[in-house]
Amino acid sequence: LKNSSFSIIPIGGVEEIGSNMTIVRTENEDVVIDCGLLFPYEECFDINYLIPDFKFLDPKRVKSLILTHGHEDHIGGIQHFINFFPDATIYLTPFCLNLIQKKLSESKTNFKYVIYNSDSQLIFDTVNIFPIHVNHSIPETHGLVIRDKELNWGALYISDFKVDLHSSHEPPIELEKIKLLLQVCKRTAYFLDSTNIVYDGKTSSENELNLDLTQLINSSQKRIFLTLFASNVHRASYIAQAALNAGRKIVLMGRSVRHYFEAGYNSKIIPLNPENFLEPQAVKDSNEKILVILSGCQGDFLSALRRFSFGEDSNLKPTPDDLIIFSSKVIPGNEKKIYRIYNKLSEFGAEIVSANDALIHSSGHPGKEDIKILIANFKPDFYFPIHGESYLLKKHFEFIKSHYDNIDCRLIYNFHEIKFESSIPKIIKQDKLDPVIIHGKSLEIEKSQISQRRKMATQGTVFISFIKQKQLLKISTIGLPLMVENLLPKLEQKLLHQINNDLQSREDKYFIDQIKISTRQFFNNYLGYKPVTEFHLL
Amino acid sequence: LKNSSFSIIPIGGVEEIGSNMTIVRTENEDVVIDCGLLFPYEECFDINYLIPDFKFLDPKRVKSLILTHGHEDHIGGIQHFINFFPDATIYLTPFCLNLIQKKLSESKTNFKYVIYNSDSQLIFDTVNIFPIHVNHSIPETHGLVIRDKELNWGALYISDFKVDLHSSHEPPIELEKIKLLLQVCKRTAYFLDSTNIVYDGKTSSENELNLDLTQLINSSQKRIFLTLFASNVHRASYIAQAALNAGRKIVLMGRSVRHYFEAGYNSKIIPLNPENFLEPQAVKDSNEKILVILSGCQGDFLSALRRFSFGEDSNLKPTPDDLIIFSSKVIPGNEKKIYRIYNKLSEFGAEIVSANDALIHSSGHPGKEDIKILIANFKPDFYFPIHGESYLLKKHFEFIKSHYDNIDCRLIYNFHEIKFESSIPKIIKQDKLDPVIIHGKSLEIEKSQISQRRKMATQGTVFISFIKQKQLLKISTIGLPLMVENLLPKLEQKLLHQINNDLQSREDKYFIDQIKISTRQFFNNYLGYKPVTEFHLL
C-alpha cells in the first residue's frame, strides 16, 4: 500500500449474517471495525457462538478497534479480541461502553478505550475516520466515512442502519454530513447494509409504532406481557412510559431486558430507572394492573418468555386474562421455537398480538427506498453491498445495477481486499479462514470434534473394554434403544468367538480395528445404523 | 356408546401439525382415519419421525383404516399400522394405493384394501361414511361425512382442503353433496382444517399459477431448474407439459419427484410417462434447452436440490446461465436450510425466482374466505377446529366465534373424545399417550435415550476403564476440544490418588459413582461443562 491509499477487508458479516468484522488497512496499521459473533447455519449442539479467526491479523499492526454499535453481532467477540490484542484501543460510545463493561465485569478484563460521538474525528496514520450518526434499532449507532488524507478516496461504510426522518427519540441520519465529507473526495464508494434489501418500500419509522402500542396498552384490562429485542431500549422505554401513564406497574423479567435497561439508564439515554420497577415476586398474587417486559422474543430455551409461556415461572403463569404482545419479528431459524411459545400460551388461553396483527415492530435495516434516499443525497462512484448473506448481496447488487447506470457496483465476499489506490478499486481475494467455534468457558472446539458429537447424537455410542490375559469383555451403550440390552450377550459371544479364532495373536491396532468393525456391523444389522464405538484393550 | 351414536377422537394432528390420526368410535368398532407421521419440535438428531402410539387402540376393535389422501402426515405411519393391525382393511384411492405399494414394496408387506372414490359409501355397524371430493395439493383428496344410521347426527370431517372453483385438472369441492348429506340430519358438526386460518383471504386457485409459470418457462433462455412439493403431481405435470411445449427436454432429479410422477402416471392421473424424460447423465455436457424438476424444496440434507445447489451433483452444476424456480413455500423450521441453498446458488451466480417474486405457489389449505364458503353452503350446529397447532386452533375458534353467533364452536385437543349421543356433543378427556419416536430400521427409541444423545452432543463423552487388581487406568474422550488430551495425565493422577486414599476398599457402586463425579468435576473446571462419563470397573 502506498502512503496515500487504504484497503477495506471484510473478514466477517459478508455472505453470512453475524460476526461482523472489517479491516481498514493502511501502510502501517490495521484498524478493525467491530468484532461480532455468529450463530452457525448447521446445528453445532449448544455451542456458544462462532467468532472470526484473529490469526488473519498481525497483532503488531492492530492498535485500534472501532465499535459502530452495541449489538452482539458487532461486539460479541470482544472478550476474545482483548485477549488477543490486549494493547489495542477501543473506540466506542457511552452506551456501548456500558454494555461492554457489564459483559467483561465477570472476567475482570481491563481494556483501553476512547469515547467518541458523531462530532469526533478518528485520526490514523494515512486515513481519517468520521463517525456518522445513523438510525437503527439500538441507541448510538454509527456509520463511518473513511478518507485518505489526500482526499483521493472517500468511503461511506454503514453496516446497519435505516433512514428514520421522524423518530421522536433521536435525530435523523446525518445525510448532510455524509455529503459534505464525501463531495471533496476525488472518488467515492459506498458499503451498505443488505439485510432488508428484498423489501421494496421504506422501513417504517420507530415513531409510527407509538399509536398501536399505546392503544394496546390503554385499551386492555388484562395483565400485559410484552417482549421485544431488549437492545431496543428506546422502544422499551417508550412502552414502559406509556404503561406508567396508563396506571400500570412495570415489571422486568429476564437478564437481557434488565441489562439493557440499566445500560440505557446509566448512559442517560432513557430517564427510567429500573430500580423503581417491581420485582416479579412483588406481583405474584396481586391483582395490580401490570405490564411485564420479558426477554426472549426469539424463543430462546432459557429465556424469561419461554419459562413464563411454559408455565414454569414460579411467580407468574399465563392465564386467559393475559395479553401477550410480541413487539418483534421472527429471525429466520427461530420459527419453530417461537410458534411453540404461541402454542403454549394459546393452551393457557392467553391472547397473543404480534406484528402480524398490529404495527408494533419496525426493522432497523434499510428497504430499497431507504437506500434510494442515501444515493439521492450523494451518489458514489462505486458501491459494495455488505452485511448480508450471499443471496441478499446479489439482490442488493441487482437492485443497484438496474437503478443506477453510473454507479459501478461490485459483489464482494469475506476476505476480499478492496484496495483504493488507483482510480478504480482493485479487488484481491485473500485466503479464507473459517470462523472459530467457541464452547463452554470461551474455549475453541475443533470442527472435527463437532462432527464426532454429531455422530454420537445420531447413532449413539458403544463402549467396550477387554482384558486380554483374562479374556474378560465388558460392553455398555449410551443413547441406543433400550432393547439393545438384550442383544449385548449375543455381541459378547460373537466378539469372544472372533478373538479366539482370528485375533488372539494379532497386533493391538489390528485387534482393536477388527473389534470395532464387528461391533458396528453387529448393531447395523439390528438398528440400521452404526454407533460410535470406543474400545479399551487392557 | 348406544347403538345409534358415535364418537370422534383425534389422537394426532390436533394441537400439533403432522401425525394425523382420528378414531370414529362406534359400539363395536374403531374406524381409523389416516395414520400419519410427525417431525418433532425439538431436535431429535436425525430420527426418522414420530407416530401416534397405537397402544391407545384395542386391536380387536380396529378393522378399518380410511386414508383421506397420500401426504406423509396422513399415510407415513402405514408400515407400523399394518404391523400392529395386520387384519385391518385399508380404504384408499388408486393414487394413494400406488404410493403405499411403492412404500411397502421393500419390506414386502401385504395388506387388505378396498378402493373407494367420491361415489362410494363406506358402511360400518352404526355409521355410514361418505367420501367427499375436495381440492388440496395432492390428487384424490377426500373429506368425509359421517352419519349415524338414524340420522341423529351428521359430521363433516375435512382435515386438509381448499375451495378451488376454477381448477383445470379436477372438479371443485363437492359442496352440493355436503349439503344434501347433512341437511337430513337432526344435528350437524364440522371438523375443519386450521393450517391457513391466519390468512384473511381466499386461497388462490391452482389455475391462477399457470400464467406466471408459463411466462417464466417461455421467456427464459437459460437452463431451468424447478423445485416444488413433489406430491403436487398436477402442478408438476402442468409444468412439464409447458416446458415440452416450449421445446424443452424434461429431466427428473430426486427420488421423491420420480416416485410421485410414477404414481401419477400409473394411476392415470397424469398423461406424462416419466420413462420418456431424459436422465441427468444424458444432459451432462449438452447445450440442450432443459427443464429439470428437482426434489427437495424444503432444503433437505440428502435432496437433489441441495446436492445440486452445493455443486455436489456429478452431472449438473449451477452456473450464471441457470434460472432456479421455487414453486413452493417455506415450511416453518426449514428457513435456514432453504436460505442456505439460496446463498449457495447465488454464489454460483444463478438467478432465483421464488413465490415472493411471482405467483407460482398456492397453498392447499383454506383461508378464512374458504371457510366462509363452506358455512354459506351449509351451516352446522357445532364446529371443531382441527389440523393445526394450538395457536391456530385458537385463532380458528375465535374466527368462528366472532363471525357466527349461532354456531357452537369448541376447542378440542388430541385424545379428546367428542361423543355424539344426546343433543349436545359431550367432550371427554382421555389419557394422552406421547407419540412414539422411530429411528433406523423402523425401531422405537425411548425419550430417555434421545436425552442421552443430547447430552453427548452438547458435552462430549469420557470413557474410563480400570483394572482394580493391577491399578491400571485407561482414559479416552470423544467430542471434546483437542486440548483435553494434554489434561488426561493429570486426570489419571488425580483419579489414582483418589482410589488409593478413599476408594480402594469401597464397594463397586460407590467406587464407580465417585470416579464419575470426580471426572465430571475435573472437566467442568477446565471446560465449563461436564461430559457424559462411562466407567468400566474390571
Side-chain angles (χ1 to χ4, degrees), chain A residues 184 198 291 345 351 454 478:
Chain A
V184 296
V198 290
L291 180 138
L345 290 169
E351 181 187 353
R454 177 165 295 116
I478 308 178

Side-chain angles (χ1 to χ4, degrees), chain A residues 111-163:
Chain A
F111 58 95
K112 290 194 283 189
Y113 65 87
V114 169
I115 298 280
Y116 76 81
N117 63 31
S118 57
D119 295 327
S120 308
Q121 280 194 34
L122 315 180
I123 314 285
F124 301 98
D125 61 342
T126 63
V127 298
N128 296 343
I129 298 185
F130 304 82
I132 308 288
H133 161 73
V134 303
N135 309 112
H136 186 39
S137 48
I138 186 170
E140 299 181 355
T141 302
H142 289 83
L144 302 172
V145 166
I146 303 152
R147 301 195 312 199
D148 63 63
K149 306 230 167 170
E150 280 140 40
L151 302 180
N152 284 318
W153 279 97
L156 173 67
Y157 175 95
I158 326 182
S159 61
D160 298 58
F161 77 103
K162 68 176 176 182
V163 176

Side-chain angles (χ1 to χ4, degrees), chain B residues 78-284:
Chain B
I78 193 76
Q79 172 83 64
H80 303 275
F81 182 90
I82 296 168
N83 295 347
F84 218 87
F85 308 108
D87 297 325
T89 299
I90 303 178
Y91 296 80
L92 37 54
T93 65
F95 180 63
C96 192
L97 176 63
N98 253 290
L99 294 176
I100 284 177
Q101 279 173 333
K102 186 119 191 211
K103 204 178 178 56
L104 300 177
S105 62
E106 207 179 315
S107 65
K108 298 201 176 88
T109 307
N110 290 314
F111 58 96
K112 290 194 282 189
Y113 66 85
V114 170
I115 299 279
Y116 76 82
N117 63 30
S118 57
D119 294 327
S120 307
Q121 281 193 36
L122 315 180
I123 315 283
F124 301 97
D125 59 343
T126 62
V127 297
N128 296 343
I129 297 186
F130 304 82
I132 307 288
H133 161 73
V134 302
N135 309 112
H136 186 39
S137 48
I138 187 171
E140 299 181 356
T141 302
H142 289 82
L144 303 171
V145 166
I146 304 152
R147 301 195 311 200
D148 64 63
K149 306 230 165 168
E150 279 139 40
L151 301 181
N152 285 318
W153 279 98
L156 173 68
Y157 175 96
I158 326 181
S159 62
D160 298 58
F161 78 103
K162 68 178 176 182
V163 176
D164 193 340
L165 302 173
H166 308 288
S167 164
S168 50
H169 51 68
E170 63 175 15
I173 175 174
E174 297 179 300
L175 293 173
E176 187 61 21
K177 185 171 159 196
I178 294 173
K179 185 155 75 177
L180 291 174
L181 286 169
L182 289 182
Q183 66 190 6
V184 296
C185 298
K186 283 204 194 91
R187 281 169 210 88
T188 54
Y190 274 8
F191 293 79
L192 295 184
D193 184 356
S194 309
T195 315
N196 232 5
I197 197 68
V198 290
Y199 178 56
D200 287 329
K202 161 98 193 57
T203 300
S204 50
S205 166
E206 187 66 27
N207 235 29
E208 292 174 55
L209 315 183
N210 296 352
L211 184 69
D212 281 10
L213 282 170
T214 314
Q215 199 170 346
L216 277 169
I217 292 168
N218 288 347
S219 64
S220 178
Q221 296 309 309
K222 301 179 171 181
R223 297 196 301 183
I224 297 180
F225 295 81
L226 183 145
T227 185
L228 79 173
F229 293 100
S231 55
N232 199 332
V233 295
H234 280 311
R235 189 185 303 169
S237 167
Y238 178 85
I239 287 164
Q241 190 58 60
L244 291 171
N245 296 347
R248 290 182 180 268
K249 299 274 169 65
I250 309 294
V251 181
L252 301 185
M253 268 172 77
R255 220 158 45 117
S256 158
V257 160
R258 201 170 286 276
H259 172 63
Y260 285 104
F261 245 106
E262 276 164 17
Y265 181 72
N266 291 340
S267 48
K268 301 190 173 56
I269 289 178
I270 56 171
L272 299 171
N273 186 348
E275 284 177 19
N276 298 332
F277 300 160
L278 294 181
E279 292 298 315
Q281 304 83 285
V283 292
K284 184 173 182 170

Side-chain angles (χ1 to χ4, degrees), chain A residues 205-335:
Chain A
S205 166
E206 187 65 27
N207 235 28
E208 292 174 55
L209 315 183
N210 296 351
L211 184 67
D212 281 10
L213 283 170
T214 314
Q215 199 170 346
L216 278 170
I217 293 168
N218 288 347
S219 64
S220 177
Q221 296 308 309
K222 301 179 172 182
R223 297 195 301 183
I224 298 180
F225 294 82
L226 184 146
T227 185
L228 79 174
F229 293 100
S231 56
N232 199 331
V233 295
H234 281 310
R235 188 184 304 169
S237 167
Y238 177 86
I239 287 163
Q241 190 59 60
L244 290 171
N245 296 347
R248 289 181 180 268
K249 300 273 170 65
I250 309 295
V251 181
L252 301 185
M253 269 173 75
R255 221 158 45 118
S256 156
V257 159
R258 202 169 286 275
H259 172 62
Y260 285 104
F261 245 105
E262 276 165 17
Y265 181 71
N266 291 340
S267 49
K268 301 190 173 53
I269 289 178
I270 55 171
L272 300 171
N273 185 346
E275 284 178 18
N276 298 331
F277 299 161
L278 295 182
E279 292 298 315
Q281 304 84 284
V283 293
K284 185 173 182 173
D285 297 309
S286 86
N287 282 324
E288 284 192 281
K289 273 178 77 184
I290 54 172
L291 180 138
V292 183
I293 303 180
L294 305 97
S295 310
C297 68
Q298 295 308 303
D300 299 335
F301 281 110
L302 299 173
S303 68
L305 175 65
R306 186 173 153 116
R307 268 202 332 273
F308 167 72
S309 306
F310 277 61
E312 291 166 0
D313 186 79
S314 51
N315 297 305
L316 294 163
K317 301 202 189 293
T319 74
D321 292 322
D322 293 342
L323 168 64
I324 323 291
I325 301 176
F326 287 76
S327 174
S328 55
K329 68 154 202 165
V330 180
I331 293 179
N334 296 334
E335 288 77 4

